[in-house]
Amino acid sequence: MYNKVMVILRDINTVDALIDKVISYNPEANADLLRRAYAFSNEVHYKQKRKEGAPFIQHPLAVAAILCEMKMDTNSIAAGLLHDTVEDTGTTEEDIRALFGEDVAFLVESLTKLSKIEFRTSEDAQAENFRKMFLAMAEDMRVILIKFADRLHNMRTLEYLSPAKREKIARETLDIYAPLANRLGIGWLKSGFEDLSFKFLEPDVYNELVQKVAKKREEYEGYLHEVIKIVEAHLKAASIPGDVFGRVKHYYGIYQKMQKQKIPFELVYDVIAIRIITGTQSDCYAALGLIHSLWTPVPGRFKDFIGAPKSNLYQSLHSTVIGPKGERVEFQIRTEDMNRIAEEGIAAHWKYKEADHADKLDDKYFSWLREFVKLQKDTPDAREFLEAVKGNMISGVVYVFTPEGDIVELPQNATPVDFAYSIHTEVGHQCTGAKINKRIVPLRYTLLNGDTVEIITAQGHTPSRDWLKFVRTQKAKARIKQWLKVEERKKGLSLGQELLEKALLKYNLSPALAKSKEILAIARPFRINTHEDLFVAIGYGRISVHKLINKLLPESEKDEKEIIPAHKDERKTEEGKGIRIEGIDNIMFHRAKCCYPLPGEKVTGFVTRGRGVSIHIVNCPTLDTNTIDMDRLVDVEWTGDESTHTVKVQVLTVDKRGLLAELSAVLSTNNININHLEASATYEKQALFNFILEIRNKRQLDQIMKKMAQINGVIEVKRVQA
Ligand code: MN
């Protein structure tokens, strides 16, 4: 049984102890460098104290000790000793460079940059933080390992901080550091981060669990002893080399099982696990066969991570069997090398090689990581890694690749159009199609992690309003809207000019007046300063052409006294609220009285003369395409609108007392106001009710009509459209 995190390096309290330890695994280590780094750090931090009251130097020393436990190179350990100097003291990067060389200076600089990341809880910020860590890591793995050591020591002394800080740091450790350590395959750090976070985030649950495990410790040990004895004997008899260890799983792992299965601690069966460390890969399978011949395997619990290693290089065989007492026991079977990788992960490869050897090592062992970072082609591994990244720590983000292999980060559910706009506005505007991993997909395709995205463009192609329905990024939305606005202004402009010129002709005035100074003078009360603005205002129906022209006419020919800005009287009525036309706000609208369209229904707009845009249901008979001016039709759509709208509903019933009360009851229990009601009896002993109701949207109308139709005695419920 071990809990490495808790026990390491209690004994390293001095630089001499540290150096002894480093020399023990790396006889060539530069002891002088470490001694100088320690002396320097001690000097510049001398005024500082840790929160617990200890001299500050204890912290960098502890960080260096953890790095030494990870058997890191001397420069990393020196950087561990110096990691807070630039951040906390007057030391500069140049000082570090001059005294300790380029490599140490680089590490300290990277750590200083990383420490400036303010971790926030919002998902975006978290994704960004992760991205920065990921990039720092890609540049030099050692940076993240030193960062881990720093965080581990801070977690171990967390109790001295305020409860709020404690919670924040513990949460961040659990959310970011533990999954990251896991991804890098550093098992002991992952469990260490988890247990320490757990301890501070859920102290009561944690303490109770610690006590419960302690109480059963003797029982566990007896059981483990028995199983180990049996396994060892059989391994020996079969001539399979191997050492057998037992352990109690880490607290957070047990807690997760309790939570996932919604069971108390007493019912968690696999609190203990047994590990067989054997010689070769084939010994692993031989040992597995032996275990399976001794005890019955639990179906579905066998996993071969030797044949199919995890992307963090973890290799092992896992199987759960029904043990000697009828209890389930989990076995992990692996070689010595595999075990080292499982425990130390990436750190296992990053041993005490000095910087000049390190590069080669780096290339050999970290090529897989570099692959991910370079956003290479859609290898299953890259996808798996990024998927895990997404699932583990940055939900809400996808990473995709350009055809050149550059990475692009987009929000989840982003589409090729978002991708196109993220590359360049023109690429977005001219985007006509997309290829994902060389296959053509629709523009509304949802991008997945690891997709390689190629955008097909065509010169002169323009954005579509439909895109707004599926794009996810602010950038794409803003660019599309901007384009539409410019485009719609152009449309409104020519329509407005045309309407004005036609109207002038109708009043026997010169169409040239449309571009005159006089007309601008008249339009000034509308806060219009240019002819363009005037045409646009007319095109959108914000200004009545007739009222405008009226002002131009001689007194005798005027038919109205005053020009009233059209939007002014429209504001009184709230009509048009919740409708959007071609990306423009503040247009004068009204719902057509013929069809009373509702939010949720397909509608179209008709530019009236001077009364703004009237909104009709798409197939409203009033909009007979043979008789109306098609140029005046504009695309409109509902926005999220919570106001109510009047609708005419006609109900035909048998002539029975109390039916009106029942109908009213249905309406009032559904919070629907009756604006107006007319009732009449028909000659066939039937009653006809004409309601004008205040309805929110089409769905609400459909529901209420259905409910009314279900009332006993109701013959027909219909909406009156014209
Ligand atoms: Mn620190």
Side-chain angles (χ1 to χ4, degrees), residues 50 56 59 63 83-84 150 154:
R50 291 282 285 179
F56 190 87
H59 169 62
V63 170
H83 78 274
D84 278 328
D150 182 29
N154 285 335

Side-chain angles (χ1 to χ4, degrees), residues 274-449:
I274 292 177
R275 187 172 295 162
I276 303 175
I277 311 286
T278 175
T280 64
Q281 196 163 305
S282 55
D283 289 336
C284 291
Y285 290 100
L288 177 78
L290 188 136
I291 298 299
H292 282 182
S293 71
L294 278 171
W295 297 295
T296 311
V298 177
R301 291 295 307 255
F302 169 60
K303 287 185 191 108
D304 182 358
F305 294 119
I306 291 178
K310 290 189 186 180
S311 59
N312 62 18
L313 303 185
Y314 178 88
Q315 285 190 300
S316 189
L317 298 176
H318 290 190
S319 188
T320 302
V321 299
I322 308 292
K325 287 188 178 165
E327 286 188 328
R328 294 178 179 214
V329 201
E330 188 190 277
F331 278 87
Q332 298 176 341
I333 305 168
R334 50 176 82 149
T335 66
E336 191 90 46
D337 277 354
M338 293 172 190
N339 190 49
R340 205 160 47 82
I341 290 169
E343 278 309 308
E344 298 170 17
I346 208 137
H349 304 294
W350 193 271
K351 290 294 160 167
Y352 50 92
K353 303 290 183 217
E354 297 309 327
D356 50 332
H357 309 260
D359 281 343
K360 279 173 217 144
L361 242 195
D362 198 12
D363 279 351
K364 187 177 167 203
Y365 287 106
F366 301 138
S367 58
W368 61 275
L369 179 67
R370 298 207 181 282
E371 295 273 301
F372 301 141
V373 177
K374 278 184 204 148
L375 307 155
Q376 290 295 330
K377 302 291 169 191
D378 52 325
T379 65
D381 267 2
R383 188 181 283 261
E384 191 202 324
F385 180 73
L386 290 169
E387 202 61 57
V389 159
K390 188 185 84 180
N392 283 344
M393 45 197 125
I394 44 161
S395 52
V397 176
V398 289
Y399 290 103
V400 296
F401 305 93
T402 68
E404 291 75 38
D406 291 328
I407 191 164
V408 176
E409 185 187 305
L410 292 167
Q412 210 165 3
N413 298 324
T415 63
V417 177
D418 292 295
F419 176 89
Y421 277 100
S422 79
I423 302 298
H424 192 277
T425 302
E426 280 309 305
V427 177
H429 284 350
Q430 302 186 354
C431 153
T432 58
K435 282 185 187 172
I436 301 298
N437 308 327
K438 302 220 156 81
R439 280 182 38 231
I440 299 253
V441 296
L443 283 177
R444 55 172 65 239
Y445 170 87
T446 303
L447 295 174
L448 300 173
N449 270 318

